Amino acid sequence: MGRSRTYAWEDPAVTAAAAGRTSGLEFLHEMLAGRLPAPPVTATLGLALSEVERGRVVFSLVPGEEHYNPIGSVHGGVYATLLDSAAGCAVHSTLPEGMAYTSLDLTVKFLRPVTLDTGEVRAVGTVLSSGRRTALAQAELLDGADRLLAHATSTCVLFPTSAS
């Protein structure tokens, strides 16, 4: 007996073309409001951007079987994607028009397993330090009782966009 899952996404070129044309905070607010399409990875994994403010971003996910590894819990790559998204977008939220970022590294610590029984989880990303060329952010993966499930730090490189 098999299972299946169907999903759809918008053209990622629309969102990519808008990057750098406004501040990072405005860009993320446009995405949160649905005026810019979310990146396809959010549809693939079922991630949702749920909060945006300067220096802080929250993504959420309801774990499903499609996220499982062979031993019956959410795959570490799903944790890492949530944490990378939250940390990176927290950095993005601080950038002025004409600037972008990319992750240089991501260090993840897995503390508790996530399963269907965990319920919705939230990845809360915050900027710890930001300079002209790099920014350091952290992200925490939390369950509904605010228990820490995983933690990550990320260094991001900052650069001008082609739109600037």
Side-chain angles (χ1 to χ4, degrees):
M1 182 165 127
R3 288 171 164 80
S4 68
R5 182 171 171 252
T6 304
Y7 59 95
W9 62 93
E10 301 295 325
D11 181 356
V14 172
T15 306
R21 296 193 188 282
T22 63
S23 73
L25 186 59
E26 292 172 82
F27 176 82
L28 291 168
H29 277 144
E30 289 295 298
M31 199 176 302
L32 183 64
R35 291 185 289 269
L36 274 178
V41 70
T42 60
T44 301
L45 291 178
L47 309 180
L49 178 62
S50 52
E51 295 178 39
V52 175
E53 60 187 77
R54 182 174 170 76
R56 183 179 179 275
V57 170
V58 179
F59 280 86
S60 60
L61 169 79
V62 176
E65 287 180 339
E66 67 274 15
H67 301 121
Y68 272 19
N69 60 27
I71 61 171
S73 62
V74 172
H75 190 282
V78 175
Y79 284 59
T81 301
L82 270 164
L83 294 166
D84 183 54
S85 298
C89 286
V91 168
H92 196 174
S93 74
T94 66
L95 298 180
E97 181 178 334
M99 292 297 288
Y101 79 94
T102 194
S103 300
L104 284 174
D105 63 27
L106 181 70
T107 302
V108 179
K109 302 296 182 191
F110 304 100
L111 305 173
R112 295 176 187 262
V114 175
T115 66
L116 296 173
D117 294 334
T118 304
E120 184 178 70
V121 296
R122 296 175 337 278
V124 180
T126 55
V127 174
L128 298 174
S129 174
S130 188
R132 287 189 334 227
R133 295 186 181 171
T134 62
L136 176 66
Q138 70 173 359
E140 296 179 327
L141 188 63
L142 305 165
D143 68 10
D146 285 336
R147 286 182 296 211
L148 186 62
L149 307 170
H151 180 268
T153 56
S154 178
T155 305
C156 297
V157 63
L158 312 179
F159 56 90
T161 65
S162 58
S164 58

